Amino acid sequence: MTQHSTSKLILSEVEHALCNVFTTIGTASSDDKRAQALAQFKSIGLPTHRLEQWHYSNLKRIWTHAAPIGHAQNIAAEPNSFHFINGALASVGALPAGVTYRSLRDVLRDGNEADLTALFDCAGANDPILALNLACGLEGVVIDVAAHTHSAPFIHIIHESRSPDFSAFPVCLIRCAEGAELSVVEHYKGNAQGAHTLSSLHIHMASHAKVSHFCDAASHDQLLIASLSLTLSDHAQCHSFGMISQGDFVRRQIFADVHAHAHLDLRGLTLGHAKHHADTTLIVNHLKPQSTSRELFKHILDDQAVGIYQGKVIVHSIAQKTDGGMKSHALLLSDTAVMNNKPELEIYADDVVCGHGATVAQINEDQLFYLMSRGIPKAQAQAMLIDAFAEEMLADIIHDDVRDMFAEHISAFMTGRAS
Amino acid sequence: MLEIKNLHVSIGDKKILRGLTLTVHAGEVAAIMGPNGSGKSTLSYVIAGRSDYDVTDGEILVDGENILELDAHERAAKGLFLAFQYPIEIPGVTTMTFLKASVNAQRKQRGEAELSTPDFMKKVKAAADKLNVSQEMLRRPLNVGFSGGEKKRLEVLQMSLLEPHYAILDETDSGLDIDALRIVSEGVNALRSKERGFLVITHYQRLLDHIVPDVVHVMSKGRIVKTGGKELALELEQNGYRDYSVEEAVQ
């Protein structure tokens, strides 16, 4: 982890309270790493617009109250599922062959160097909020998928907010050994008032590993920051789709390190309404030659919702023959919805193909009139056009259950508009 | 009877239609010819209910009912149909889904039972076969990647499924080669009946060789300036529109 010098930053009351969540666990190697992460957070504090990657999400202004740490409740375990309640691990279901796990506390207590490196020297470790998450997080799991494990059922990581007014810092790490294939769904759900969740999922893919990842950010948390840190070794492949459909302040931040011949495909759809603030920020690092990445993100924003897309693709100087393409499209359904679109390329290699594009539009009046001229009432015509805009994002999801789960959010969004 | 009485239409400060009066009887094919900028496309949009025009005076009556206060979808359910000069592409909505939504939306508004999927499919297949519209085309997103001919055939297919009382064809011949023009015209002619009126808007005589009109109106500067039989179209083909001067270009 790169350490910022501990400057004379004066921490606010909330920042102090957040730092006080940190407790040592008595294993020097782990505590050192966690203390370094805390120092990283302290050097910056809660980010504001002055930090480029947080330009549109002023966390210092929003996070005004440090709620106590949440506690788990007893629930029945479901197969292939890790279920967190209020940020604490509540149950683990039976796991398929080739998939094993240890609790984060056990891993930290063991202090094994390889484990700590995978957790703390991850893509995005410089981010102050991911650093805070790692410093304070004691609840979590480290999941290992054995080499060449195929056809395992979906693994579900469920984060459910049940109690009012709590803070949570869960950390999960998945390591896929060489040639392993895994599908994982990250769920955020629950209606708790005042929940503050900082969560991170780290996925390390060894060479030729393949991961399909889905993130369903549908909790009504007051604040949810879900970090996804991806490391793709040579020839690894990762496809990730995430949807933000609820939550007052939601930020999905994705950090990816992409090595030679690896392929990364990141997609996302945000459905924003009321005064929701939904931020998707990603940094993709092409570190080695001949890797490819595709990013496609869409926002549908109604009422006074604010959407943010910041995507940065960095092609390092030795990453020749990188092929990258990034697109962001937003559809505004009201005059008061706001979209901030900022795709960026930073290219230090001279033989690459990279492009990006961003659009923000309202419902196309010509298309609307065409449908209405055939007898389709305005609300239904609008719904067809919104659905069509969203549908492209679900079309490639081949797993029916997962696609249906996301499709339900789209139809709930449309029903909410109609009522 | 479709009656347009003293219709005045503007966009912003720009007057486009200036007291246009026109009647299309059931069973009649009326052609409107006129130079560029005479307001022909505006007329078709205003009849169909596009909301970005200001109707400052006049009436549009369908079988005696003034439709100016109705939204576009309500006008469609009353039996009006506009075949677009440039049919709109809608990615993400399959053609079949659109056709079914259209037919059933109109039936619902008229208090009729919605068609079941098998009944609807049977109806579409019969109509599509006549117009050389393939099933593959119906599975594609609406008008996306369709050739000019395919788009116009699809417009006629929609017309045959929706069975309007009055159909307005806005420059249906534009962008069509001779074969496509023949197929589209045959499709239209097959729909001619004594219950249905057509308003065929065109620049050129050639469409009227295929869809022979009962009456020809000449439009200029936002009004009908001359009305005659089908021979009027031939006269215009020979002499051009020079007798009907154009003051301003309005599309």
Side-chain angles (χ1 to χ4, degrees):
Chain A
M1 179 184 296
T2 310
Q3 246 190 292
H4 284 244
S5 62
T6 359
S7 60
K8 301 270 186 229
L9 187 80
I10 299 165
L11 297 177
S12 69
E13 200 178 314
V14 172
E15 287 164 336
H16 268 301
L18 290 169
C19 292
N20 287 339
V21 172
F22 176 84
T23 50
T24 55
I25 58 157
T27 303
S29 54
S30 296
D31 286 340
D32 278 357
K33 285 283 191 187
R34 295 173 61 237
Q36 282 175 28
L38 189 67
Q40 170 72 6
F41 169 71
K42 281 180 173 172
S43 70
I44 299 169
L46 288 173
T48 67
H49 65 278
R50 284 195 288 274
L51 192 63
E52 188 59 27
Q53 289 307 317
W54 285 82
H55 187 75
Y56 301 101
S57 293
N58 190 334
L59 202 54
K60 199 166 209 148
R61 191 163 55 80
I62 288 159
W63 205 336
T64 55
H65 162 66
I69 293 291
H71 294 287
Q73 297 171 358
N74 284 333
I75 50 156
E78 288 176 39
N80 312 314
S81 297
F82 298 86
H83 202 136
F84 292 79
I85 304 281
N86 304 332
L89 186 61
S91 76
V92 179
L95 296 173
V99 180
T100 55
Y101 89 101
R102 284 182 297 156
S103 77
L104 180 66
R105 272 176 211 276
D106 286 348
V107 169
L108 292 173
R109 279 195 195 107
D110 290 349
N112 175 293
E113 195 182 330
D115 293 341
L116 296 180
T117 301
L119 278 166
F120 289 89
D121 296 353
C122 60
N126 287 336
D127 178 78
I129 293 304
L130 181 52
L132 179 66
N133 195 173
L134 287 165
C136 296
L138 291 174
E139 291 290 335
V141 287
V142 173
I143 302 165
D144 279 292
V145 184
H148 306 293
T149 300
H150 285 185
S151 325
F154 273 83
I155 297 294
H156 296 269
I157 299 176
I158 304 158
H159 296 278
E160 186 174 352
S161 304
R162 284 198 182 174
S163 307
D165 201 32
F166 70 85
S167 300
F169 302 87
V171 175
C172 298
L173 166 65
I174 299 174
R175 284 184 294 207
C176 290
E178 186 177 341
E181 293 183 11
L182 186 75
S183 298
V184 57
V185 189
E186 217 184 338
H187 305 260
Y188 294 90
K189 61 182 187 179
N191 290 308
Q193 295 290 309
H196 289 65
T197 304
L198 293 195
S199 161
S200 60
L201 173 61
H202 307 251
I203 307 179
H204 282 241
M205 286 150 268
S207 64
H208 296 277
K210 286 185 188 170
V211 168
S212 294
H213 165 260
F214 301 92
C215 176
D216 178 26
S219 71
H220 292 254
D221 287 8
Q222 187 174 337
L223 185 147
L224 167 64
I225 300 171
S227 302
L228 176 65
S229 172
L230 304 169
T231 304
L232 286 78
S233 304
D234 295 354
H235 297 279
Q237 290 183 31
C238 179
H239 295 263
S240 171
F241 171 80
M243 182 186 279
I244 299 173
S245 58
Q246 291 294 349
D248 294 344
F249 178 102
V250 182
R251 175 169 159 116
R252 290 192 68 224
Q253 46 178 12
I254 304 172
F255 307 100
D257 284 349
V258 186
H259 291 261
H261 298 278
H263 176 69
L264 173 65
D265 189 83
L266 296 175
R267 290 175 170 230
L269 175 63
T270 293
L271 307 172
H273 66 282
K275 291 185 175 177
H276 293 173
H277 178 106
D279 179 343
T280 300
T281 292
L282 49 103
I283 301 177
V284 175
N285 270 298
H286 286 274
L287 298 169
K288 295 284 167 60
Q290 298 196 314
S291 60
T292 53
S293 70
R294 292 289 180 272
E295 296 82 27
L296 174 61
F297 285 81
K298 287 191 175 182
H299 286 71
I300 302 174
L301 302 172
D302 201 359
D303 306 324
Q304 296 169 65
V306 175
I308 293 134
Y309 174 75
Q310 293 191 105
K312 184 185 267 192
V313 174
I314 305 167
V315 182
H316 292 250
S317 56
I318 64 161
Q320 300 293 357
K321 307 281 183 193
T322 291
D323 179 351
M326 174 164 49
K327 284 181 188 164
S328 164
H329 302 298
L331 183 62
L332 301 183
L333 304 180
S334 77
D335 292 340
T336 45
V338 175
M339 180 66 199
N340 301 283
N341 236 336
K342 199 177 78 177
E344 292 176 279
L345 297 173
E346 258 183 46
I347 301 176
Y348 300 100
D350 54 15
D351 184 11
V352 300
V353 179
C354 279
H356 67 67
T359 61
V360 180
Q362 293 181 300
I363 284 187
N364 184 303
E365 289 295 324
D366 290 335
Q367 292 178 340
L368 189 64
F369 175 61
Y370 190 74
L371 295 179
M372 288 180 69
S373 77
R374 299 308 186 236
I376 300 172
K378 188 172 187 178
Q380 187 187 346
Q382 284 178 329
M384 284 173 77
L385 294 173
I386 296 166
D387 240 4
F389 182 79
E391 184 56 34
E392 182 190 2
M393 304 306 293
L394 305 191
D396 291 341
I397 300 177
I398 55 171
H399 314 284
D400 291 346
D401 293 352
V402 177
R403 194 178 52 244
D404 291 350
M405 174 180 78
F406 289 122
E408 269 177 37
H409 292 320
I410 296 174
S411 71
F413 178 78
M414 298 307 301
T415 309
R417 286 198 83 232
S419 60
Chain B
M1 190 157 58
L2 171 64
E3 296 168 278
I4 300 157
K5 294 181 178 174
N6 188 34
L7 192 66
H8 289 259
V9 173
S10 312
I11 284 193
D13 295 334
K14 197 165 191 172
K15 289 185 177 175
I16 303 174
L17 302 185
R18 304 157 188 256
L20 184 136
T21 296
L22 174 74
T23 299
V24 181
H25 296 277
E28 182 180 77
V29 173
I32 292 190
M33 301 184 73
N36 287 328
S38 55
K40 302 188 299 297
S41 285
T42 296
L43 175 64
S44 68
Y45 282 139
V46 170
I47 297 171
R50 183 141 189 161
S51 58
D52 39 10
Y53 295 94
D54 293 327
V55 177
T56 53
D57 201 3
E59 287 180 317
I60 301 177
L61 307 172
V62 172
D63 298 330
E65 184 187 356
N66 191 347
I67 58 161
L68 278 177
E69 296 303 314
L70 300 182
D71 283 342
H73 72 280
E74 295 168 313
R75 298 185 194 196
K78 294 273 179 200
L80 276 176
F81 180 87
L82 169 62
F84 281 59
Q85 182 180 2
Y86 303 109
I88 307 295
E89 298 186 2
I90 307 190
V93 175
T94 66
T95 304
M96 192 64 100
T97 303
F98 159 75
L99 292 174
K100 189 159 185 243
S102 304
V103 168
N104 280 335
Q106 291 204 16
R107 292 179 73 90
K108 198 172 166 186
Q109 287 178 76
R110 291 193 293 259
E112 299 164 11
E114 293 186 11
L115 286 183
S116 69
T117 302
D119 286 349
F120 174 75
M121 298 296 281
K122 209 189 285 178
K123 199 171 167 174
V124 172
K125 190 172 183 322
D129 286 350
K130 280 186 201 161
L131 287 159
N132 205 14
V133 170
S134 68
Q135 294 299 302
E136 186 271 332
M137 216 171 119
L138 298 174
R139 286 192 290 270
R140 278 153 55 186
L142 182 57
N143 288 321
V144 177
F146 288 19
S147 69
E150 286 174 328
K151 285 179 181 173
K152 295 296 172 75
R153 274 186 277 147
L154 192 67
E155 293 291 291
V156 179
L157 173 65
Q158 291 171 50
M159 184 162 50
S160 72
L161 291 172
L162 294 169
E163 300 171 347
H165 300 311
Y166 298 98
I168 301 141
L169 276 54
D170 187 7
E171 304 205 16
T172 289
D173 51 332
S174 69
L176 294 188
D177 62 29
I178 297 161
D179 292 333
L181 183 64
R182 184 179 47 76
I183 293 172
V184 167
S185 304
E186 283 171 1
V188 172
N189 286 330
L191 294 171
R192 288 178 78 155
S193 81
K194 60 180 188 298
E195 288 87 29
R196 184 170 292 138
F198 287 86
L199 187 60
V200 180
I201 294 171
T202 183
H203 279 296
Y204 303 109
Q205 155 66 23
R206 68 167 190 169
L207 178 66
L208 304 181
D209 286 340
H210 297 271
I211 304 172
V212 180
D214 300 302
V215 57
V216 174
H217 302 282
V218 181
M219 187 167 170
S220 176
K221 294 181 265 179
R223 311 172 62 164
I224 300 298
V225 292
K226 189 168 184 182
T227 296
K230 60 186 175 193
E231 65 286 349
L232 181 55
L234 294 167
E235 189 184 304
L236 287 168
E237 186 76 3
Q238 286 198 328
N239 301 335
Y241 293 110
R242 62 174 180 261
D243 298 338
Y244 313 98
S245 67
V246 182
E247 276 178 357
E248 54 189 292
V250 177
Q251 197 49 264

